[in-house]
Amino acid sequence: MRSFFHGYRIILLKGEITEIEADAIVNAANPYLSHGGGVAWAIVRRGGEIIQRESEEYVRKYGPVPVGGVAVTSAGSLKAKYVIHAVGPRYGIEGREKLELAIRKSLEMAEKLGLRSIAFPAISTGIYGMPYDVCAETMSDVFLKFKPRSINEVMVVLFGEEAYQVFEKVFEKILPLGV
């Protein structure tokens, strides 16, 4: 675990996002919120089918979530109150600005809900092919610009050692170390 500080605490963790205690966890979602693989599948598997049902209801009511957009569901039996489903870009197809938008909109949604803590995975680095360093740099940039009202803790939860090492290196370079 590494801790950074920029008016709020930014914690870098290695582990499983579905085991994190936070007011909200972010899901790396697709536009149709069909949670069949990766982080999305792990969230539904651990949190329960209610997450998938609420996701399907959202898409039926509002349509697909645009790239860079977010949707919110309950968190089922997870240790969170909400799941914020962020649709990241496909590497080489949609630009980095869409990843920045998905991260920023996730933070804004957490603020709108009055939450104090939020946990992110490495959005778009799975099947969407985003390199870890690009994701880490983008997150760092968004975190530096973010001015929280209610959030006091942001966690970035990485599943594997390679992802953790890349994020740690990038965060150490860009973000102020915590106390």
Side-chain angles (χ1 to χ4, degrees):
M1 180 179 95
R2 290 301 304 268
S3 198
F4 304 87
F5 189 77
H6 184 65
Y8 59 97
R9 191 171 165 186
I10 302 165
I11 303 169
L12 187 62
L13 298 164
K14 186 173 23 168
E16 173 64 52
I17 198 165
T18 61
E19 296 173 4
I20 297 298
E21 280 191 49
D23 291 337
I25 62 171
V26 176
N27 173 28
N30 63 56
Y32 294 95
L33 304 181
S34 55
H35 311 306
V39 171
W41 180 78
I43 287 171
V44 170
R45 181 176 43 97
R46 185 138 193 168
E49 286 298 315
I50 184 74
I51 298 168
Q52 183 61 62
R53 282 196 307 276
E54 289 178 13
S55 295
E56 290 166 2
E57 287 173 23
Y58 181 92
V59 171
R60 271 195 303 278
K61 189 172 183 178
Y62 302 107
V65 180
V67 176
V70 299
V72 179
T73 64
S74 71
S77 59
L78 296 171
K79 297 176 187 176
K81 296 175 188 171
Y82 300 98
V83 177
I84 298 173
H85 305 274
V87 179
R90 293 169 292 168
Y91 186 66
I93 298 173
E94 293 115 356
R96 179 177 165 173
E97 65 278 353
K98 293 291 188 177
L99 178 58
E100 182 178 321
L101 187 60
I103 296 162
R104 190 176 74 248
K105 286 198 170 282
S106 296
L107 291 166
E108 290 169 354
M109 181 58 72
E111 287 280 317
K112 182 178 178 182
L113 294 167
L115 306 182
R116 308 220 8 107
S117 61
I118 184 171
F120 282 89
I123 297 171
S124 288
T125 61
I127 195 165
Y128 283 3
M130 185 73 62
Y132 292 133
D133 61 334
V134 174
C135 183
E137 290 166 5
T138 305
M139 277 191 172
S140 297
D141 291 346
V142 173
F143 294 163
L144 283 172
K145 294 173 190 166
F146 179 60
K147 304 289 185 230
R149 292 181 314 279
S150 64
I151 293 175
N152 61 22
E153 187 171 77
V154 172
M155 292 167 266
V156 178
V157 185
L158 303 159
F159 188 69
E161 183 65 31
E162 178 188 358
Y164 184 86
Q165 287 180 10
V166 170
F167 270 74
E168 183 178 46
K169 183 178 178 182
V170 170
F171 278 25
E172 283 177 351
K173 185 173 76 176
I174 298 174
L175 296 171
L177 288 174
V179 251

